[in-house]
Amino acid sequence: MIKINHLLEVRDLKVCYRTYRGILKVLNGVNFTVEKGEKVGIIGESGCGKTTTMKTILRILPSNGMVCGGEILYDGRNILEMGENELNIIRRRKIAMIFQDPTAALNPVFKVGEQFMDILKHSKILEGKKPTEDELKEEILDMFKEVMLPDPERVFDSYPFQLSGGMKQRVCIAMALATAQELLIADEPTTNLDVTIQDQILRLIKDLVDRRNLSVILISHALGAVRGLVDRVYVMYAGNMVEVADVKELFREPKHPYTRGLLASAPKLTGGGISKGIPGRIPDYLNPPNGCRFNPRCDQAMEICREEVPPFFDLGSHKVACWLYKEEDENG
Ligand code: SF4
């Protein structure tokens, strides 16, 4: 049998946080894959573990975070077992992340150009190159033009506080693209920006990754943005992926009760009143419910839902972690 290597494969990932209240069991066995050149979306309510998953991939969890199980395979190699040198190559040449808050992502006491020079220089050194400062600056100014920053020279010599939110996010996108040669992770990249420029930033990311044929993981609350940007969507709830499908399929016919509630809660331009949303809230990770973590909020919950975690059932076009679909599983 031929073994297929995904670009990224997250297998049964479990992450906990130590807190003064006790151990929070946040990620509960996360599974997903990203292929070369593929754009993957991850949707779900705030607090369902999306950012924790991405930070674990880059091994930048806060000090109270612990990986309690699982593997993160990048091109077949487990990131969780890599030494510092190999990890540095991943972070500086292969995967980059754009964060929600561009203000927090930039160091306020250094000029933007100095920060970018530092990142680019280390990335080049890992490639065995020794660029001069003039060469680095020229490359950075080209990147600023590529992300359509007006007056690149002025931006280069500015401190972050001298730039608008949209300009700072463009700088962060340029920095990420300078180092991401294979996979870009965009974690809610427009959440903290004015509504008027959110669309511009998303379109910019799409154009840039298309031109470079990068793989992308886009995390977003904005379901419309995900719909227009990605090939495949995972739905995450309380530390588990609960559904995955091609983007059109998922929006056309969501299967998991949580996905149906999530899509029904999205505001619609056509009106129709204010949606009721999904009753209840994400569980307390100190004592999450047994079985399917969605069971306290699910109006179709059965006895088995409170006892056993549902595996992914394969429905052909969708994979769904819900006991309602056990009989429909194509393999089962
Ligand atoms: Fe609802 Fe049970 Fe499906 Fe969970 S497994 S979503 S509780 S029906």
Side-chain angles (χ1 to χ4, degrees), residues 39 98 142-148 169-170 172-177 180 184 200-216 229:
K39 299 187 199 74
I98 303 168
D142 284 346
M143 294 287 306
F144 283 169
K145 283 180 206 149
E146 202 177 346
V147 297
M148 289 181 278
Q169 193 59 299
R170 281 174 200 267
C172 291
I173 292 169
M175 283 179 173
L177 289 172
L184 180 71
Q200 286 173 22
I201 293 287
L202 286 169
R203 245 180 293 139
L204 175 69
I205 293 174
K206 183 176 186 320
D207 286 352
L208 294 169
V209 298
D210 279 349
R211 251 185 269 158
R212 288 157 194 252
N213 196 27
L214 296 180
S215 303
V216 176
L229 266 171

Side-chain angles (χ1 to χ4, degrees), residues 256-257 292 294-295 298 300-302 305 310 321-324:
H256 194 282
C292 170
F294 189 56
N295 83 66
C298 180
Q300 291 170 281
M302 305 166 281
C305 306
C322 170
W323 287 115
L324 291 173

Side-chain angles (χ1 to χ4, degrees), residues 242 255-258 291-306 308-310 313 320-325:
V242 295
K255 302 276 191 190
H256 194 282
Y258 176 65
C292 170
R293 284 186 169 184
F294 189 56
N295 83 66
R297 301 172 77 182
C298 180
D299 57 10
Q300 291 170 281
M302 305 166 281
E303 210 172 310
I304 191 171
C305 306
R306 288 180 265 277
E308 287 182 49
V309 179
F313 295 112
V320 192
C322 170
W323 287 115
L324 291 173
Y325 297 95

Side-chain angles (χ1 to χ4, degrees), residues 168-278:
K168 277 185 276 205
Q169 193 59 299
R170 281 174 200 267
V171 169
C172 291
I173 292 169
M175 283 179 173
L177 289 172
T179 53
Q181 294 193 337
E182 296 177 350
L183 173 64
L184 180 71
I185 300 172
D187 183 4
E188 302 275 7
T190 58
T191 301
N192 289 323
L193 303 179
D194 286 350
V195 180
T196 46
I197 58 162
Q198 289 183 356
D199 197 41
Q200 286 173 22
I201 293 287
L202 286 169
R203 245 180 293 139
L204 175 69
I205 293 174
K206 183 176 186 320
D207 286 352
L208 294 169
V209 298
D210 279 349
R211 251 185 269 158
R212 288 157 194 252
N213 196 27
L214 296 180
S215 303
V216 176
I217 301 174
L218 173 68
I219 295 175
S220 184
H221 287 109
L223 299 182
V226 171
R227 199 172 184 164
L229 266 171
V230 306
D231 309 312
R232 216 154 50 95
V233 184
Y234 283 89
V235 183
M236 192 164 191
Y237 180 75
N240 287 105
M241 295 299 180
V242 295
E243 181 162 3
V244 56
D246 168 86
V247 64
K248 285 198 190 108
E249 268 296 316
L250 190 109
F251 282 93
R252 192 176 64 81
E253 200 183 348
K255 302 276 191 190
H256 194 282
Y258 176 65
T259 315
R260 290 204 293 261
L262 193 66
L263 299 197
S265 320
K268 295 186 179 55
L269 285 174
T270 46
I274 296 170
S275 106
K276 286 197 281 233
I278 307 171

